[in-house]
Amino acid sequence: MDYQALQKQYLDLAARVIEKAAGKGAVAEAYISAGESLSIEVRDQEVEALTTARDRGLGLRVIADGRVGFAYTTDFSPQALEVCMEQALANARMATPDEHNCLPARYPDYPRLDLFDPEITNTPVEQKIELVREIERQARAYDPRVKITESCSYNDSRYLVVLVNSQGIAAAYHAAYCGASTFVVAVENEESQTGFGLVYGLRYKNIDPAKIGREGAARAVRMLGAKRVNTQRAPVVFDPYVATNFLGVIAPALAADAVQKGKSLFRGRVGQQVAAPVVNIIDDGCRPDGIASGPFDGEGVPTQRTVLVEKGVLKGYLHNTYTAARDGVKSTGNGARGTFKTTPEVGTTNFYIEAGTRTPEDIIKEIPRGLYVTEVMGMHTANPISGDFSVGASGLWIENGELTRPVRGVAIAGNIIGLLENIDAVGNDLTFFGATGAPTVRIAGMTISG
């Protein structure tokens, strides 16, 4: 795809659609996305699957008399665009009016971000296949007990986003990201354990196949021979991956729409202590290396760095244009839009717990007896309104400041706010898994059910 030429073409097309909708008495917004993706799967050094996909489409949102209508099309012919517009207008006529329905006005400036690595596009597919094979070779070479490859894959995506509205916004950007992962199984005495390694980012050169393969193998091998421990209360350390699992429950509760509907455990808590003073939680849509970064959100509002929890105190929520209008505040640039087929929701971008200053080794060294958690099961059962959770856990037992034997078949339970308030150490090893990141985190005490 020639993204520069497409960008101009789509900006013109979107402007024409907006002009026509304005002629029918509506304020309107045209959101166009176009992209192509590649996915490669390898098992036992053979290519199991190689898929490429392209898609493009236009989502049209219109507002007339406070009523919102939406329609989308993948056909950019004049007739199809006309039908799409009439459909959006018809949908608006049937909607309930709401004075807070509005579109953002033009912004003087957007963050300047380098989101497109030409190496992702220019690297031949054969080289990408070889990269996946190398991940698998490294995993298998790590330990003879690594016997099964569940999956070994590479993915990349290149896309263009164009947004034009009646309020003067006409903006576009193109971006790309790539990543690779492996899931392998270690086997010993009829017992098997799975481990994974993965990395996603904006730069092709940052994919290190040896690191991904060895990490997956190490995670699998270290869990062989895992046993339960007795029920007890002890300090618990979450590795970065597990900490991001908990962020997956916290994120929707920090969205203003959940708060406004009374469906958030953080409702009415702004200005209050909701976590320990060592905890800072941030959403940053213009983080230079973030895979969810962009100069603007799904409505054309500039992205920004939003500190949600600072030194344990809740500072605010994430907003799109609608929720901001309802609360009489400014949008935080969190009008999230995964596709042209939907209207903007409120969503996170690059969402993370800020790194602390201590090494993971130091954090573990201070524990006479406790659990280093490397995996939790059943996180989807956590209640985002009350914050209550009960999950299965596995990891490594800590004895006298050292990681000793593997542990599985235990459970940890509690409340998200209680958990956040009980954090007494945060590591310096902030690691992102996709668009969510966390460092190693230590909780002063939790009940571990054996």
Side-chain angles (χ1 to χ4, degrees), residues 174-311:
H174 78 290
Y177 65 84
C178 59
S181 65
T182 187
F183 287 80
V184 292
V185 181
V187 181
E188 188 176 49
N189 301 333
E190 294 184 2
E191 179 200 357
S192 60
Q193 296 284 356
T194 305
F196 73 91
L198 72 94
V199 70
Y200 274 85
L202 298 183
R203 304 281 171 259
Y204 184 79
K205 71 173 195 294
N206 291 346
I207 298 180
D208 179 347
K211 184 173 180 290
I212 295 166
R214 289 201 292 261
E215 185 185 347
R219 278 178 171 265
V221 169
R222 72 184 180 185
M223 290 306 295
L224 287 167
K227 291 184 170 61
R228 292 184 177 201
V229 291
N230 293 331
T231 297
Q232 58 195 285
R233 190 168 175 82
V236 169
V237 179
F238 291 160
D239 84 350
Y241 178 67
V242 168
T244 62
N245 275 258
F246 279 89
L247 278 181
V249 180
I250 293 166
L254 287 167
D257 55 348
V259 176
Q260 290 168 356
K261 291 169 187 166
K263 292 182 174 178
S264 166
L265 63 123
F266 296 112
R267 189 183 186 196
R269 302 290 298 265
V270 173
Q272 294 179 21
Q273 199 83 24
V274 295
V278 290
V279 177
N280 299 304
I281 299 176
I282 292 158
D283 182 82
D284 188 353
C286 48
R287 188 178 167 89
D289 56 351
I291 71 164
S293 293
F296 54 85
D297 71 358
E299 302 182 284
V301 176
T303 54
Q304 63 178 47
R305 182 177 187 269
T306 305
V307 180
L308 294 157
V309 175
E310 184 175 32
K311 293 182 178 169

Side-chain angles (χ1 to χ4, degrees), residues 1-345:
M1 281 191 195
D2 179 350
Y3 286 104
Q4 299 307 108
L6 265 187
Q7 184 168 308
K8 185 181 182 323
Q9 184 189 328
Y10 288 166
L11 278 165
D12 292 346
L13 182 137
R16 289 198 302 275
V17 172
I18 292 308
E19 207 177 313
K20 280 199 157 184
K24 305 258 184 181
V27 293
E29 164 201 86
Y31 175 92
I32 298 176
S33 67
E36 50 192 340
S37 61
L38 168 71
S39 175
I40 300 164
E41 286 273 348
V42 165
R43 184 177 290 149
D44 299 330
Q45 294 295 291
E46 295 292 322
V47 177
E48 284 223 318
L50 192 155
T51 52
T52 56
R54 283 187 169 202
D55 82 333
R56 67 164 198 181
L58 178 146
L60 179 67
R61 183 163 56 141
V62 299
I63 304 174
D65 305 321
R67 302 169 194 266
V68 173
F70 179 77
Y72 70 86
T73 180
T74 56
D75 180 347
F76 288 3
S77 68
Q79 300 87 333
L81 291 168
E82 183 74 34
V83 169
C84 180
M85 184 182 65
E86 291 300 342
Q87 187 65 59
L89 290 164
N91 290 342
R93 287 192 286 274
M94 292 187 287
T96 308
D98 185 331
E99 60 179 327
H100 303 115
N101 285 326
C102 59
L103 297 178
R106 187 176 172 194
Y107 288 85
D109 215 5
Y110 288 114
R112 282 174 170 68
L113 300 168
D114 176 15
L115 302 174
F116 191 82
D117 174 14
E119 210 182 330
I120 294 174
T121 308
N122 298 342
T123 302
V125 171
E126 293 75 19
Q127 216 170 305
K128 293 171 179 175
I129 290 170
E130 194 46 40
L131 179 139
V132 188
R133 285 184 172 139
E134 180 60 13
I135 293 171
E136 188 181 44
R137 283 197 292 268
Q138 291 284 346
R140 292 294 185 93
Y142 179 85
D143 190 293
R145 291 170 293 180
V146 177
K147 290 188 171 18
I148 301 163
T149 303
E150 276 191 358
S151 77
C152 224
S153 62
Y154 167 88
N155 301 281
D156 63 38
S157 182
R158 303 168 291 289
Y159 59 95
L160 168 70
V161 173
V162 170
L163 193 139
V164 178
N165 78 11
S166 312
Q167 313 293 81
I169 290 178
Y173 70 94
H174 78 290
Y177 65 84
C178 59
S181 65
T182 187
F183 287 80
V184 292
V185 181
V187 181
E188 188 176 49
N189 301 333
E190 294 184 2
E191 179 200 357
S192 60
Q193 296 284 356
T194 305
F196 73 91
L198 72 94
V199 70
Y200 274 85
L202 298 183
R203 304 281 171 259
Y204 184 79
K205 71 173 195 294
N206 291 346
I207 298 180
D208 179 347
K211 184 173 180 290
I212 295 166
R214 289 201 292 261
E215 185 185 347
R219 278 178 171 265
V221 169
R222 72 184 180 185
M223 290 306 295
L224 287 167
K227 291 184 170 61
R228 292 184 177 201
V229 291
N230 293 331
T231 297
Q232 58 195 285
R233 190 168 175 82
V236 169
V237 179
F238 291 160
D239 84 350
Y241 178 67
V242 168
T244 62
N245 275 258
F246 279 89
L247 278 181
V249 180
I250 293 166
L254 287 167
D257 55 348
V259 176
Q260 290 168 356
K261 291 169 187 166
K263 292 182 174 178
S264 166
L265 63 123
F266 296 112
R267 189 183 186 196
R269 302 290 298 265
V270 173
Q272 294 179 21
Q273 199 83 24
V274 295
V278 290
V279 177
N280 299 304
I281 299 176
I282 292 158
D283 182 82
D284 188 353
C286 48
R287 188 178 167 89
D289 56 351
I291 71 164
S293 293
F296 54 85
D297 71 358
E299 302 182 284
V301 176
T303 54
Q304 63 178 47
R305 182 177 187 269
T306 305
V307 180
L308 294 157
V309 175
E310 184 175 32
K311 293 182 178 169
V313 175
L314 181 63
K315 300 309 245 184
Y317 308 115
L318 299 174
H319 284 277
N320 65 7
T321 304
Y322 174 80
T323 63
R326 268 192 72 168
D327 279 359
V329 296
K330 279 186 174 157
S331 168
T332 55
N334 287 88
R337 211 161 186 164
T339 164
F340 59 86
K341 297 176 182 178
T342 60
T343 53
E345 304 289 326

